[in-house]
Amino acid sequence: MKISVFSNLRRDDVYQIAKQAVDVLSKFCEEVYISEKFKDIFDADVTFVPKNKMMELCDLAIAIGGDGTTLSIAKLASLSGKKVLGINAGRLGFMSGLEKDELELLNNLGSGEFEVDERMMLKACVYSNNELVSVHHCLNDAVITRGSLARLIDINVVSEGRIVTQIRADGMIVSTPTGSTAYSMAAGGPVVSPDNSCFVVTPICPHSLLNRSVVFSSDKELEVFIESDVHNNSFLAIDGKESIPIDNESRIVISKSEYKAKLIKIKPDNFYEILNKKIIERQ
């Protein structure tokens, strides 16, 4: 088995976790790959390769960090059908399969004693004047937000040629079930188990006495149009990483992605137990 370990080894806490993880992995792995940019600081029996080759060379990937790290590596792995295990070195670690004091369970990778949790992703296609500008794949959410000025924007959501909602708000979140416990939940959206296949559409600070999310089956296609004044451009944020400027001529088409994130599950905890441990009990 060949495993690539993705982590920021210049963080002391991550370095120690990675060192311990590699010690376990080296017992049964044919190769353990680490980015060559850490060759000067990481003293272990690993193979250093260019970062852009790490996913191609491995059988599965390990992401050491917070949820942002796991999210980023899981998206990258989905493009080539690879599996990912997250090891929590952050605050929450909701997407992580292991905590830093559970590294002996990495032996389960060698024995095959693990499950793979497939997560639906969404695809956001950005059109301008009916021409395709860009395509983005999201594991958590696609978020339409106002620009730097504190002014509301008008957002229209259309499904099957019919207007579903028209609302004035700071923005709109379209999340996957995985993303339902992230920004969408903070904006008042429902928590959805990741074994579902749907989109959750949640307004951000709507100018309304009602603030309700709408859940759509993932076999639907959503079109989102925005209207903002000439002094206040809007943006489409992809998983909180990419930010694409959009305007009144833009059209965003949301659909189910052809890719799936494959998260390795070693422990027996189910989604609701993790929800209680990671979020509810920490309140």
Side-chain angles (χ1 to χ4, degrees):
M1 179 180 288
K2 299 177 181 180
I3 294 179
S4 288
V5 178
F6 294 83
S7 57
N8 180 6
L9 296 176
R10 301 198 188 279
R11 278 181 49 187
D12 288 342
D13 55 337
V14 173
Y15 182 97
Q16 295 304 322
I17 296 171
K19 199 74 162 41
Q20 295 172 46
V22 167
D23 287 344
V24 177
L25 295 173
S26 61
K27 297 175 185 175
F28 61 86
C29 281
E30 178 186 348
E31 296 277 2
V32 177
Y33 299 114
I34 295 284
S35 172
E36 64 182 5
K37 72 178 183 178
F38 300 118
K39 191 173 183 177
D40 60 327
I41 65 168
F42 196 66
D43 181 21
D45 185 18
V46 299
T47 302
F48 295 99
V49 297
K51 187 176 181 180
N52 62 1
K53 293 289 186 181
M54 289 176 64
M55 193 61 73
E56 174 189 334
L57 294 171
C58 71
D59 298 310
L60 63 86
I62 290 177
I64 303 176
D67 282 326
T69 300
T70 302
L71 177 73
S72 176
I73 301 306
K75 283 178 58 176
L76 178 63
S78 73
L79 303 180
S80 53
K82 302 290 178 71
K83 300 179 284 290
V84 174
L85 172 67
I87 298 177
N88 184 26
R91 290 174 295 178
L92 190 61
F94 195 76
M95 296 179 66
S96 300
L98 292 178
E99 298 296 323
K100 61 184 178 182
D101 58 352
E102 299 173 327
L103 299 183
E104 281 301 317
L105 289 176
L106 289 171
N107 286 303
N108 288 33
L109 298 178
S111 62
E113 298 175 71
F114 62 86
E115 298 177 3
V116 178
D117 186 9
E118 292 193 346
R119 302 289 183 92
M120 187 204 96
M121 296 172 62
L122 64 82
K123 178 166 68 174
C125 298
V126 181
Y127 293 84
S128 181
N129 293 313
N130 292 320
E131 291 188 8
L132 181 63
V133 175
S134 57
V135 178
H136 310 271
H137 297 274
C138 316
L139 179 50
N140 262 2
D141 49 40
V143 181
I144 296 94
T145 61
R146 60 175 172 80
S148 58
L149 299 178
R151 300 181 183 180
L152 301 177
I153 55 177
D154 293 294
I155 306 169
N156 300 324
V157 179
V158 175
S159 178
E160 299 180 324
R162 297 177 181 272
I163 292 179
V164 175
T165 184
Q166 293 177 300
I167 196 164
R168 302 203 77 197
D170 276 357
M172 182 81 76
I173 304 165
V174 183
S175 82
T176 63
T178 297
S180 73
T181 55
Y183 192 6
S184 177
M185 185 183 74
V191 171
V192 180
S193 173
D195 57 2
N196 287 284
S197 185
C198 61
F199 306 126
V200 180
V201 177
T202 302
I204 304 169
C205 297
H207 190 250
S208 169
L209 294 176
L210 297 176
N211 181 9
R212 294 289 183 267
S213 299
V214 181
V215 180
F216 295 88
S217 171
S218 63
D219 62 0
K220 305 297 183 186
E221 187 176 87
L222 306 181
E223 294 187 36
V224 183
F225 307 85
I226 62 99
E227 294 179 21
S228 58
D229 61 58
V230 294
H231 303 294
N232 191 30
N233 287 332
S234 301
F235 295 88
L236 171 66
I238 304 297
D239 280 335
K241 296 289 185 181
E242 301 173 77
S243 182
I244 301 98
I246 55 176
D247 57 27
N248 296 354
E249 304 301 322
S250 301
R251 178 168 60 98
I252 302 162
V253 177
I254 305 289
S255 60
K256 183 178 180 180
S257 173
E258 60 268 34
Y259 300 109
K260 289 184 178 181
K262 299 180 179 181
L263 300 181
I264 292 174
K265 178 182 174 184
I266 293 178
K267 298 186 294 183
D269 297 1
N270 67 26
F271 169 75
Y272 302 101
E273 290 172 321
I274 296 171
L275 183 68
N276 275 287
K277 289 179 182 178
K278 296 285 188 177
I279 296 181
I280 297 175
E281 291 178 3
R282 293 192 180 192
Q283 302 302 308

